[in-house]
Amino acid sequence: MEASASLEIAKHTLLSCGLILAIGTVAALLAQKIRIPDVVVFLIAGIAIGPQALGLVDIKADSALNQIILLFGASYILFDGGVSLRFNVLKQVWITILVIATVGVIITAVITGVAAHYILGVPMVVALLLGATLSSTDPATLVPIFRQLRIRHRVAQTVMSESAFNDAMGAIVTFGVLAVAMGTGEFSFASSLFDLLKQSVIGIVAGLVFGCLAALLICHEKWAFLAEYAPVVTLVAVIGAYFAADGLQASGFMAVFVFGIMLGNKEIFGFRMEAGEAQKLDEFILTTAFIMRLFIFILLGAQVDFTLMGKYWLGGVAVIMVLMLVARPATVFLCAWPDRRARWSLAELVFMCWTRETGVIPAALAGLLLGMKAPGAQMIASVTFIAILMTILIQAPTTEWLGRRLGLLRAADGEPF
């Protein structure tokens, strides 16, 4: 009987995954035809086939399958984003990335939290907990958007790098505020700064180590005896980099992102791949990242709880409007404008103000707060889902249009128009 039940669960899971792949492929084609980022159509498709609509797919947010997809999917998408970055661009904008991914997270959390306190009428500490949950941008959303759009390199790479590096800061601020809210401790700036530095350094080192090891095995002049298995090596290295950093209480996402940067810039370190092998690896990475993106956002859409959202929808919309139109612009101008090395133009700053999609990272934090029965957790989860829907459905489809209006699109050869 038990074996029969396990087989039925396996069949149901396999059918659900097949449906997601089929529907996601059609959704991606539709997104390509109407020229909007595919994550938008994936999210809508997920809502349509989820338990609150057609009921074709019902994979619970706390299920092992969902957690595996989120964990590996977000890691692989970040790795893909890292592969697309170039050192010569990062050298120009690293100060902006550092400041906006640290100080910027706190600015966003405070402004959003104060707005939530007055709009929703919740205690300030609970409002700040909401602000902290929403403070980090989402790499699983932003990386694929900027991989699909022809936005000027330094702008795209700054936004992608910010989203990769600010998840650790967002989590640190969230759990620091949570300790105060639950009466289990006090927020310490010194210990939080040390924790951030520790997570960052260990994450970067883990990424560099696995990057060097993977490059040695697949594209070294003498030691590349796994060159023909390069796609498998990258899969193993992504998982290894994540768990190496995570096991040392550091940011696994930062590790896989740095691994991607290392592999994407391997020529600088003296590594070379044959043209055919390099093309095969690039195609594999793009295809795998597409499948992960498809699963993540269809499942995220299927898990949107409209009943929970309904309790706070009016105040939640107002809070997210403040997040999008006040907190994000303040963060960008306070953190990026003073960077004289980058010499940001007004058009570039305005564009970055509009690119701060909320996605799986804040959703995961909100889920953790629900599981811990944190103060205001139901409200935080509700407003987080509202933020996901508003930012992905409003900001993502208009990103290319805004880039064109501001003159930030690149021509096909990579040069600005």
Side-chain angles (χ1 to χ4, degrees), residues 8-21:
E8 287 304 312
I9 292 172
K11 286 181 178 179
H12 177 264
T13 302
L14 185 60
L15 177 60
S16 296
C17 291
L19 277 171
I20 291 171
L21 276 172

Side-chain angles (χ1 to χ4, degrees), residues 32-165:
Q32 190 178 51
K33 294 294 184 185
I34 60 179
R35 294 181 59 82
I36 63 172
D38 55 19
V39 294
V40 178
V41 186
F42 291 155
L43 188 69
I44 296 171
I47 293 172
I49 66 174
Q52 299 201 22
L54 297 177
L56 298 176
V57 171
D58 186 10
I59 297 176
K60 303 298 183 186
D62 58 354
S63 67
L65 176 63
N66 187 69
Q67 296 302 317
I68 289 170
I69 290 171
L70 282 183
L71 194 61
F72 179 71
S75 297
Y76 202 87
I77 288 170
L78 264 175
F79 161 71
D80 175 43
V83 168
S84 70
L85 301 193
R86 293 295 171 262
F87 275 137
N88 63 330
V89 177
L90 294 179
K91 282 193 296 186
Q92 302 173 23
V93 298
W94 69 269
I95 295 175
T96 293
I97 294 169
L98 177 64
V99 177
I100 203 170
T102 52
V103 178
V105 169
I106 297 173
I107 294 171
T108 300
V110 171
I111 294 175
T112 307
V114 171
H117 171 66
Y118 288 105
I119 293 170
L120 298 172
V122 296
M124 182 60 79
V125 69
V126 174
L128 289 174
L129 188 57
L130 169 63
T133 304
L134 296 173
S135 61
S136 60
T137 56
D138 187 59
T141 309
L142 287 161
V143 168
I145 287 174
F146 283 98
R147 289 282 266 169
Q148 291 176 294
L149 302 181
R150 293 178 293 114
I151 302 298
R152 192 174 294 172
H153 283 307
R154 73 189 208 127
V155 179
Q157 296 191 19
T158 298
V159 173
M160 286 195 290
S161 299
E162 174 204 356
S163 70
F165 289 123

Side-chain angles (χ1 to χ4, degrees), residues 173-220:
V173 174
T174 299
F175 289 110
V177 177
L178 178 63
V180 178
M182 298 186 77
T184 58
E186 295 183 1
F187 182 78
S188 168
F189 177 78
S191 63
S192 296
L193 181 61
F194 175 77
D195 196 26
L196 178 66
L197 288 172
K198 184 195 78 170
Q199 288 201 38
S200 301
V201 171
I202 295 175
I204 290 169
V205 170
L208 288 173
V209 168
F210 277 86
C212 285
L213 185 60
L216 190 69
L217 294 174
I218 64 177
C219 49
H220 188 270

